[in-house]
Amino acid sequence: MTDPLPLGLGNLALSRKEDFKEFANAPRRGQPRLLTRAELKALTAEARAVYDRLRREWHANLGPIRTQQLADLHEDLWDIVDSNQQDGDKAKGAVAVDAFPGLGKTTSVLAFLREFHHREIAENGEFTAQGHERLPVCRVGLTGNTGMKDLNRAILEFFGHAGRNRGTAAQMGQRALDCVLSCEVRVLALDDLHFLKWRNTSGIEVSNHLKWIANEFPVTLLMIGVGLAEKGLFSEGTTSGDTALAQTGRRTTRLDMQPFTIKNEAGRREWRKMLLALEKRVVLADKYPGMLADDLSDYLFARSTGHIGSLMTLINRGCQRAVRSGIERLDRDLLDRVKNDEASEKARRELEAALDKRRLTSRPRSSNRRAA
């Protein structure tokens, strides 16, 4: 089998420095050993319970998988972060990861932030020259009611600052700057930026505050959200309020992530590579080469509509049911009984019909059936 990860890894809030450090420093989860039916039967009741628990945790954490989309995003992020070595009197370029839900934005960004944290600690040590805890990354999640004071409070909450619950917005902003400088933060990640209502007073206030952060904080501002372009983050605008938003956009590079596509051979090959990678991670006694990449390729594309988040959810839930029911494999009959997210279920019918009638296919022409 394999040793479980330390207890508590599933109970983290990445908006707090202790939890983010635990996430960043946790050892890679070990894949449970694949047992045959005979080996499963030979386990004692206690050993089987432990093995099945390890498989539950493993299947619930199959990602991230280094898809081409993730690799491209990471390359762009490294370009931007590594180029932001300007002196403190110059504003650094910001980046916005702007893409539809279900494409793995947050998962991909967190994987990058973890790598960046490791590199900075390896190069510079766990403590600054002044003896402060080094925190290369500060990650904050926004809500629908976030204003300037709320954003400052959220940054202070990450550091566990004693003054996070009192003071004016300006006072909290200065405390946040002190924390960032003391801990030598290099990337400030703001997740769920789309929760802001950009066109109202709060949105303009936060946009101006982001400009202040870009000017005063020696960090790369990394924003993650859905429909940020439509909300005006990058627009020139025609009113004074719109122009305030556009100034943030002038300094911001927009990155996106695309769903898998089967409209061309290259897209179909990428889809197959994804399924082959997933096959290797599935721990079911009766799995076989081609279980996903051959026998379920079209079916899985229809059920996920090419969105990696929906695909991972379906595979995770399917594996949980396969273990619990004793079926120990994934097939269409089992997966038909597994519910997926509402967006995928709504979009699935038309795509499924086209695939069933061979008007579309997810299989590349050059693939060899049963390729491992």
Side-chain angles (χ1 to χ4, degrees):
M1 292 184 282
T2 189
D3 293 331
L5 285 178
L7 294 177
L9 197 61
N11 191 35
L12 300 180
L14 298 183
S15 55
R16 299 174 181 173
K17 65 182 179 69
E18 295 85 1
D19 286 358
F20 186 88
K21 285 183 64 176
E22 187 171 354
F23 157 77
N25 294 326
R28 296 294 182 183
R29 191 179 298 270
Q31 182 168 343
R33 185 166 65 89
L34 181 62
L35 301 182
T36 65
R37 283 277 186 176
E39 289 172 323
L40 281 179
K41 189 175 181 180
L43 292 176
T44 65
E46 182 180 2
R48 178 62 184 267
V50 170
Y51 182 64
D52 286 349
R53 177 175 64 82
L54 291 176
R55 290 199 291 173
R56 284 198 303 273
E57 294 172 356
W58 171 255
H59 289 136
N61 296 277
L62 288 174
I65 291 177
R66 191 169 178 80
T67 62
Q68 190 60 51
Q69 293 95 321
L70 182 145
D72 290 344
L73 177 67
H74 281 199
E75 283 298 307
D76 288 333
L77 288 173
W78 282 119
D79 287 344
I80 295 166
V81 171
D82 285 348
S83 68
N84 276 347
Q85 302 297 318
Q86 297 90 342
D87 294 336
D89 62 326
K90 301 179 181 67
K92 301 179 187 297
V95 56
V97 181
D98 182 15
F100 290 116
L103 297 176
K105 295 184 304 298
T106 296
T107 299
S108 299
V109 169
L110 285 175
F112 170 80
L113 294 177
R114 176 175 177 156
E115 291 180 17
F116 181 77
H117 173 92
H118 285 168
R119 190 187 76 172
E120 290 296 296
I121 296 298
E123 290 183 354
N124 301 300
E126 294 189 12
F127 297 94
T128 69
Q130 290 72 37
H132 299 294
E133 184 179 19
R134 186 183 304 281
L135 298 169
V137 174
C138 173
R139 184 260 175 202
V140 173
L142 277 65
T143 70
N145 296 316
T146 300
M148 185 169 67
K149 187 173 182 178
D150 300 310
L151 178 53
N152 292 342
R153 182 185 293 116
I155 296 173
L156 292 176
E157 188 71 45
F158 179 87
F159 294 100
H161 194 285
R164 62 189 181 275
N165 293 318
R166 64 179 185 274
T168 65
Q171 289 170 333
M172 287 187 175
Q174 289 300 322
R175 292 169 193 156
L177 176 58
D178 288 342
C179 288
V180 166
L181 293 174
S182 297
C183 297
E184 298 190 5
V185 174
R186 292 296 173 256
V187 175
L188 174 59
L190 304 181
D191 204 355
D192 292 325
L193 199 67
H194 54 274
F195 283 161
L196 293 175
K197 297 179 180 178
W198 285 97
R199 300 295 178 178
N200 70 5
T201 303
S202 178
I204 301 296
E205 182 182 68
V206 174
S207 180
N208 285 327
H209 192 55
L210 295 179
K211 286 192 299 175
W212 177 72
I213 289 175
N215 287 334
E216 301 299 327
F217 287 42
V219 300
T220 298
L221 187 59
L222 200 170
M223 299 170 281
I224 308 132
V226 177
L228 300 180
E230 290 76 9
K231 291 181 181 297
L233 180 62
F234 313 103
S235 65
E236 288 301 322
T238 55
T239 69
S240 60
D242 290 347
T243 303
L245 295 176
Q247 289 177 10
T248 301
R250 276 289 183 180
R251 294 175 175 174
T252 304
T253 301
R254 180 178 182 268
L255 304 178
D256 66 0
M257 297 188 74
Q258 296 296 322
F260 287 94
T261 180
I262 56 173
K263 293 181 179 179
N264 54 55
E265 189 70 4
R268 291 188 286 269
R269 284 197 297 268
E270 285 301 319
W271 177 247
R272 181 175 178 80
K273 284 171 60 178
M274 175 66 186
L275 296 184
L276 288 171
L278 272 177
E279 274 186 19
K280 292 179 180 178
R281 300 194 183 197
V282 168
V283 185
L284 298 174
D286 290 344
K287 83 166 187 178
Y288 55 89
M291 181 179 71
L292 302 184
D294 290 319
D295 293 345
L296 291 172
S297 179
D298 285 354
Y299 176 83
L300 291 173
F301 191 87
R303 288 295 305 269
S304 66
T305 59
H307 287 65
I308 190 170
S310 301
L311 174 67
M312 300 297 279
T313 296
L314 183 62
I315 296 300
N316 173 20
R317 293 176 182 176
C319 288
Q320 306 297 349
R321 182 172 290 220
V323 169
R324 197 172 59 250
S325 64
I327 293 175
E328 292 290 339
R329 65 187 290 176
L330 296 179
D331 56 31
R332 184 163 184 162
D333 183 57
L334 180 142
L335 290 173
D336 272 341
R337 300 195 297 273
V338 173
K339 303 296 188 295
N340 207 3
D341 62 88
E342 182 65 13
S344 292
E345 294 298 335
K346 280 186 175 180
R348 138 188 203 192
R349 299 304 175 190
E350 184 177 348
L351 185 55
E352 206 166 38
L355 288 164
D356 287 344
K357 293 179 181 179
R358 302 296 186 222
R359 294 198 299 268
L360 281 176
T361 181
S362 65
R363 299 182 181 89
R365 291 188 299 271
S366 58
S367 68
N368 294 319
R369 186 171 174 79
R370 309 297 180 191

